[in-house]
Amino acid sequence: MADAKVIPFDDDRSRGSRGAGSRRRGSAAESAPVGEGPGGEVQPLPVRGAAAPDPAEPEEPEEPDESPGARPTTEGGGEEGGEDGGLERRVAAGLSFLRRRLTGDYEVDDFGYDAELTDQVLMSLLRPMYEKYFRVEVKGVENIPAQGGALIVANHSGTLPLDGLMMQVAVHDHHPADRHLRLLAADLVFVLPVVNELARKLGHTLACAEDAERLLAQGELVGVMPEGFKGIGKPFGERYKLQRFGRGGFVSTALRQGVPIVPCSIVGAEEIYPMIGNSKTLARLLGFPYFPLTPTFPWLGPLGAVPLPTKWTIQFGEPIPTDGYAPEAAEDPVLMFNLTDQVREQIQHTLYKLLVQRRSVFF
C-alpha cells in the first residue's frame, strides 16, 4: 500500500475531485428520489349502537360482524394475527428496500452520503456494539443544537477509530431532533478498500476546511477530532492526556460559518486496545502512520483484533458560540489560539471528571 498522505484539517487550499466524495447525482443509482415504502390505509372498527337489553327477554348471543372493515379478535381482546401482520409489514418493507437498492431508486448527496442505507443497515450493524458491547452512556446530548450547523470537537483514542463511530451512533439514536453527524476523516480512510465506500455511505468526508465549511453552510452537524493520528496512536501510558489540537483550523472554520463549537469527551475508548508498542518498520512497509502492538495483537492473530469490552461514557459539553465575532476574526491567530485552548481545556477537564466518577474500566 502506498504511503498515505494526511491532509491537515486547516488546509484551505482549493481541491479538485476526491473520488466518491465529489460525485454528483446523475446515475440511476444516485439520482432517483427515495421510493415510498408499502403501506395501507387502516380502517377503524365499525361502531355499533345497541339498545339496553330487555330483562323480560333472554339475551341472544351477538353474532360476529363479518363486514369487510371488521377484524377478528381473540378472547383477550387483541387482534388475531397481529404479530403476523407486523411480520408481514416488516418483510414487505425489507423487500421494498431491496427493490430500491437493486433498481437505483435512492439518492446520495455530493459527498456520497446514503441516508437510507445508513439508517436502515449501517446503524443497525453498529448498534449492538454500541448498546451491548461497550454499553455507551450518553450525557448532555441536549447541548447539540436542534437545527442549523454546529461543529462537534472530541478527543481521539483507541488505536482504531471506533470512538468516532460510537459518537455518530450516540447522536443518531439519542438526539431529540433525530440529527445526523457527519465526521471528518483523514486521507488514509479514503484509500483503504471497502472502508472507503462504507465511510462515504456513512457521511464521512475528508478532513479539510473546504468540505467542513460546505457541510456547515448546509446546516449539518460536523464532527472533528483534532488530535488525529497523534491521539489515536499514542501509547497506553499517555491515555486521556490530550495531544496538540493542530493549528486551530477547526476554530477558523467555525468562525467563518458562525456556528457553535460543542466539546465532546469520550471515556472508555483508550482501553479497548492498550497500545504498549509501535512497530515503525511495519508501519512504513504498510503505509500506516503506526503499527500497534498490544497485549493480544498480533500475538493472537485475528483474535487479538477483538477490542476489550470496556464501559464507555460520551458527554457533550456546553456549546461555545462563535456568531458574535466579526468576519475577519477567522484570520486572527490570537483569537484562534485562545478558542482552541478553551475547547481543549474543557474537553480535558471533563475527561478527568468522568474518570473520577467511573467505578471500573469494564463496569
Side-chain angles (χ1 to χ4, degrees):
M1 178 183 297
D3 288 351
K5 177 184 176 184
V6 179
I7 299 179
F9 173 72
D10 52 0
D11 187 358
D12 288 325
R13 295 174 297 175
S14 59
R15 301 174 183 270
S17 60
R18 285 180 298 276
S22 58
R23 294 176 298 173
R24 296 297 186 270
R25 291 166 51 188
S27 63
E30 298 179 355
S31 60
V34 178
E36 296 182 354
E41 186 175 278
V42 181
Q43 300 181 4
L45 292 173
V47 180
R48 293 172 297 185
D54 187 349
E57 297 180 3
E59 280 193 30
E60 294 183 2
E62 183 179 349
E63 294 183 1
D65 188 353
E66 298 181 358
S67 62
R71 287 174 287 185
T73 58
T74 59
E75 292 182 0
E79 294 179 5
E80 185 179 355
E83 293 183 1
D84 293 341
L87 177 60
E88 289 175 0
R89 285 192 295 273
R90 288 194 295 270
V91 170
L95 292 175
S96 178
F97 172 78
L98 290 176
R99 177 188 60 78
R100 291 194 297 274
R101 307 311 296 185
L102 293 174
T103 60
D105 188 18
Y106 62 94
E107 94 181 350
V108 297
D109 70 4
D110 292 342
F111 297 92
Y113 174 49
D114 190 332
E116 183 184 43
L117 185 68
T118 296
D119 290 342
Q120 299 193 26
V121 178
L122 300 180
M123 283 296 162
S124 298
L125 295 177
L126 292 172
R127 197 166 287 118
M129 177 178 288
Y130 174 90
E131 294 180 346
K132 305 298 183 183
Y133 198 77
F134 293 136
R135 295 146 292 148
V136 181
E137 179 183 359
V138 180
K139 299 180 179 180
V141 71
E142 66 278 359
N143 289 322
I144 300 174
Q147 58 186 358
L151 188 66
I152 298 179
V153 182
N155 59 304
H156 207 13
S157 62
T159 306
L160 291 181
L162 297 180
D163 51 357
L165 296 176
M166 296 300 103
M167 182 171 65
Q168 195 171 6
V169 178
V171 174
H172 182 276
D173 286 3
H174 294 280
H175 196 277
D178 297 326
R179 302 211 64 180
H180 296 259
L181 179 63
R182 309 289 294 271
L183 291 176
L184 303 179
D187 273 15
L188 179 61
V189 172
F190 302 106
V191 299
L192 296 175
V194 181
V195 174
N196 169 35
E197 285 299 321
L198 290 176
R200 289 294 185 187
K201 297 295 185 183
L202 274 166
H204 303 178
T205 189
L206 195 63
C208 66
E210 181 188 25
D211 284 2
E213 288 186 19
R214 285 183 60 193
L215 288 171
L216 290 172
Q218 296 171 10
E220 299 280 1
L221 281 181
V222 177
V224 61
M225 296 173 164
E227 292 176 280
F229 291 125
K230 301 187 300 295
I232 198 174
K234 64 178 176 288
F236 186 67
E238 298 180 14
R239 60 192 180 277
Y240 299 115
K241 295 178 181 179
L242 294 183
Q243 306 299 301
R244 192 171 69 90
F245 269 23
R247 292 174 292 175
F250 70 92
V251 171
S252 177
T253 300
L255 286 169
R256 286 193 184 97
Q257 296 299 319
V259 299
I261 300 173
V262 181
C264 176
S265 303
I266 303 174
V267 165
E270 292 276 17
E271 295 89 359
I272 60 174
Y273 296 111
M275 187 170 165
I276 58 176
N278 177 20
S279 177
K280 296 182 179 180
T281 302
L282 284 175
R284 284 195 301 269
L285 290 174
L286 297 173
F288 294 160
Y290 57 89
F291 188 89
L293 302 176
T294 74
T296 58
F297 182 83
W299 331 114
L300 299 183
L303 186 61
V306 177
L308 296 178
T310 58
K311 175 74 170 61
W312 287 34
T313 301
I314 299 178
Q315 179 160 336
F316 299 96
E318 292 285 342
I320 300 172
T322 65
D323 54 353
Y325 296 95
E328 59 271 15
E331 308 301 329
D332 184 349
V334 176
L335 176 61
M336 283 195 298
F337 175 80
N338 289 337
L339 285 178
T340 301
D341 191 56
Q342 180 182 351
V343 174
R344 187 179 181 277
E345 288 299 320
Q346 188 168 335
I347 294 174
Q348 184 70 81
H349 177 75
T350 304
L351 286 175
Y352 288 148
K353 183 179 178 181
L354 293 175
L355 288 171
V356 170
Q357 292 175 350
R358 76 171 177 176
R359 297 172 299 171
S360 165
V361 173
F362 299 100
F363 305 101

